[in-house]
C-alpha cells in the first residue's frame, strides 16, 4: 500500500483558485487509482472525484464538475486537485485516498484503505 501526505491547503477568497497535492510514498503509486474526498465542518466525508491509475479516466461529483480537476504525475508519485471558481461551500478538510487493491478503479468508500491526514481549505466570501 501507499502512504499519503496532502499539502497546499489554505485560505482563499470566493472565486479564487487553489491546488492541493498528495505525495505518495511506498511502492506502486502508479498502480493505484486515487480519489479526493472532503469533509465540510459538521458534515460527513464525501467523495469529490476519482482518477484511474493511468490518469486517463476521471469522475467528479456534480457540484464540482467544470470547476475541479484531478490529475496525477506518476513519475513524481503525486496526485493533484486543482480547484477553480471556489465557493464558500467548498470549505472542508480535503483528503486523498487510495484503494486497498491496486489496478482497481472504484467509487465505493469501503474500498479505500489508505488515507492522508487531510489539508484544510477555507473559502471566504
Amino acid at each position: 500500500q501507499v502512504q499519503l501526505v496532502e499539502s497546499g491547503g489554505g485560505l482563499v477568497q470566493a472565486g479564487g483558485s487553489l491546488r492541493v497535492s498528495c505525495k505518495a510514498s511506498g511502492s506502486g503509486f502508479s498502480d493505484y487509482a486515487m480519489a479526493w474526498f472532503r469533509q465540510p465542518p459538521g458534515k460527513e466525508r464525501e467523495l469529490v472525484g476519482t482518477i484511474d491509475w493511468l490518469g486517463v479516466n476521471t469522475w467528479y461529483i456534480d457540484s464540482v464538475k467544470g470547476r475541479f480537476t484531478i490529475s496525477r504525475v506518476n513519475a513524481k508519485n503525486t496526485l493533484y486537485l486543482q480547484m477553480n471558481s471556489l465557493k464558500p461551500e467548498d470549505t472542508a478538510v480535503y483528503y486523498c485516498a487510495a484503494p486497498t487493491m491496486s489496478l482497481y478503479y472504484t467509487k465505493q468508500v469501503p474500498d479505500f484503505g489508505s488515507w492522508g491526514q487531510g489539508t484544510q481549505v477555507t473559502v471566504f466570501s
Side-chain angles (χ1 to χ4, degrees):
Q1 284 196 339
V2 293
Q3 293 78 48
L4 305 170
V5 177
E6 300 94 339
S7 62
L11 193 64
V12 61
Q13 192 169 17
S17 297
L18 198 64
R19 188 178 78 165
V20 293
S21 302
C22 172
K23 180 73 172 179
S25 58
S27 62
F29 173 75
S30 60
D31 290 337
Y32 287 90
M34 296 293 296
W36 284 100
F37 289 79
R38 67 184 180 185
Q39 186 165 17
K43 296 184 179 180
E44 293 190 355
R45 191 174 300 187
E46 66 174 350
L47 178 62
V48 174
T50 60
I51 187 168
D52 68 11
W53 50 92
L54 296 176
V56 173
N57 295 303
T58 55
W59 173 88
Y60 304 93
I61 56 172
D62 286 346
S63 59
V64 308
K65 279 181 183 176
R67 299 189 300 120
F68 288 13
T69 302
I70 298 174
S71 61
R72 64 191 298 162
V73 179
N74 286 342
K76 294 184 176 181
N77 280 6
T78 304
L79 175 74
Y80 301 100
L81 177 65
Q82 176 69 43
M83 300 179 285
N84 299 328
S85 302
L86 281 161
K87 304 175 181 180
E89 51 263 44
D90 295 319
T91 294
V93 178
Y94 283 74
Y95 301 87
C96 60
T100 303
M101 291 176 58
S102 61
L103 303 179
Y104 183 53
Y105 189 39
T106 179
K107 295 190 287 288
Q108 302 302 313
V109 176
D111 293 334
F112 289 89
S114 297
W115 295 83
Q117 84 289 351
T119 186
Q120 176 71 46
V121 173
T122 302
V123 184
F124 63 94
S125 57

